[in-house]
Structures are given as C-alpha cells and as structure tokens.
Amino acid sequence: MTEAFSNSDPGKRPTRKRGRHVALVLAGTATLALAACEDDRMDAQSFPDLESCIAASKQETLWFTEEDCRKNFAAAQQEFMETAPRYESKELCEQEHGAGNCGGDPTQTTQEAQNSGGGFSFMPLLVGYMMGSMLSRGGGIFSQPMVNTADGRYSTPKGDQSFASNRGAGKVSATTFQRAPSTIGKPPMSAAQVSQRGGFGASSTARSGGRSSFGG
C-alpha cells in the first residue's frame, strides 16, 4: 500500500466546522494518492512540535482545537516513553534511526538498568506527533509519536509505516494509530536481535502484512 502525504500550508486551508467528515486539502498540492478502502482511512495531521499544532488550531482548522493539541501531545509523549524502540547502544540506535537522532532513555536509572539485565538503553528522539480524527464516525481524536527512520523519513514507534515529513495532513489507515508493544523497563535490543528482526519496523511490517508510506 502506498500513500502520498505532503507538507501543508495551514494559512491556506479551508475553514470548516469540527466534526464534519471532510477530505483534508493542502494548499497548492494534490496531496493524497489513495490505494486502500476509504472506509479504513481517517483524517490525520502531523506536527514537529506542540507549538506548530497550536498555531494551526488558531487558523480555524478542520477538526482540532488548541486543547486537542495539548491533550494529544501529552498522550504522544507518554506513549513515546512507553513504546519507543530501545537499543543497547547509541551506535545501534543510530544505525536504525540515523546519526544524531538518538539519546539515552530518560526513564531509566542506574538501578533499573541493572535490574533489566540489559544495561542502559538508547532510544530515538521524539521528532513530532500525529493526530487522527474519528469524529465523523462518532469516535475521538487519537495520537501517535513520531521518530526518525534510518533513511530520513518519519515513523510511528511500531515502524510499520513511514512518512516523508512530520508536518502535513492527509488520510491514513486507522491501523496507524494502533499502539506499539511496550518497551519500557525491558532489556534493550542487541545487535543480534535487531538483525534477526530485519531492522526497525521489519517485524511490524511482517505482522501487518505490508508497509505503507506517505510521500516519495
């Protein structure tokens, strides 16, 4: 499954009431190449940080408010801490997520590292978050943290879908917002385990039956 997702210009987006089912249109671009059943897709928008989301919400955007930005950013931060992939070395992490895109596990203490039996953990940096709307179907707004991939794209912690940018809008599969398995408090992955999995996202791809992506 291949999808296209391009950067947005919030200032040119059309103004519509929250809760209506609409296709997001990005100014000046034909944004979406749909290859899946429309019923399985939902409106989504991603941001590199909380401030970008808040700025968009003040321009009478389609389906989210400043409160939604704050609430879902906090949820994405929490989910990131709980589900981000963890590696036994910074070098291994950067192999999977790119140079300069990894840091130490902020949740881990020396005692916890000893107790885990795997030493200290390193994890990719949080580089944005995505919000998805099920409002038109009587649902709510969901969020997912975003991390870098080794080839310079962006992904959710599961790694089964990648995106060309962390700033844009479009329609994505509802499975994009499925929570990744918890990694917090568990031994970090070794080089052998990463190799066995086939790299970041490879195991998730196998489970989901296919890799999808936004953009080129």
Side-chain angles (χ1 to χ4, degrees):
M1 178 170 63
T2 301
E3 308 172 22
F5 188 36
S6 62
N7 294 341
S8 65
D9 181 349
K12 296 182 179 180
R13 284 197 302 275
T15 300
R16 302 185 187 183
K17 294 181 179 180
R18 171 177 173 161
R20 297 177 62 184
H21 182 65
V22 295
L24 300 186
V25 179
L26 303 182
T29 58
T31 59
L32 306 176
L34 304 181
C37 176
E38 191 70 20
D39 291 340
D40 187 44
R41 301 169 67 81
M42 56 195 293
D43 295 322
Q45 190 153 345
S46 62
F47 308 93
D49 49 42
L50 174 61
E51 289 72 24
S52 299
C53 183
I54 292 174
S57 73
K58 292 179 178 178
Q59 296 179 32
E60 299 182 346
T61 190
L62 297 174
W63 46 264
F64 59 88
T65 65
E66 177 175 342
E67 181 181 357
D68 294 326
C69 290
R70 295 185 182 281
K71 178 180 178 181
N72 284 279
F73 180 66
Q77 285 182 307
Q78 182 65 33
E79 187 161 334
F80 169 75
M81 290 297 179
E82 295 175 355
T83 66
R86 286 170 160 85
Y87 303 89
E88 65 177 5
S89 72
K90 186 175 181 181
E91 290 74 19
L92 181 58
C93 180
E94 291 187 337
Q95 170 187 303
E96 301 300 311
H97 299 278
N101 294 330
C102 293
D105 182 349
T107 70
Q108 191 177 38
T109 66
T110 300
Q111 186 61 50
E112 288 171 341
Q114 293 174 345
N115 292 341
S116 73
F120 284 103
S121 298
F122 296 85
M123 50 200 289
L125 303 176
L126 178 66
V127 292
Y129 70 116
M130 176 186 298
M131 296 198 305
S133 172
M134 293 289 285
L135 294 171
S136 64
R137 306 178 202 180
I141 295 177
F142 304 89
S143 63
Q144 274 285 315
M146 302 183 81
V147 300
N148 284 116
T149 63
D151 59 358
R153 296 170 70 86
Y154 299 84
S155 172
T156 60
K158 286 178 66 179
D160 58 346
Q161 298 189 57
S162 64
F163 310 88
S165 174
N166 62 349
R167 184 191 296 270
K171 284 184 176 293
V172 301
S173 167
T175 61
T176 302
F177 293 90
Q178 288 180 349
R179 182 183 176 89
S182 176
T183 61
I184 190 170
K186 298 181 179 178
M189 287 186 287
S190 65
Q193 289 172 315
V194 171
S195 177
Q196 186 176 32
R197 290 165 58 96
F200 173 64
S203 295
S204 296
T205 300
R207 288 195 298 270
S208 64
R211 188 181 185 89
S212 62
S213 64
F214 291 129

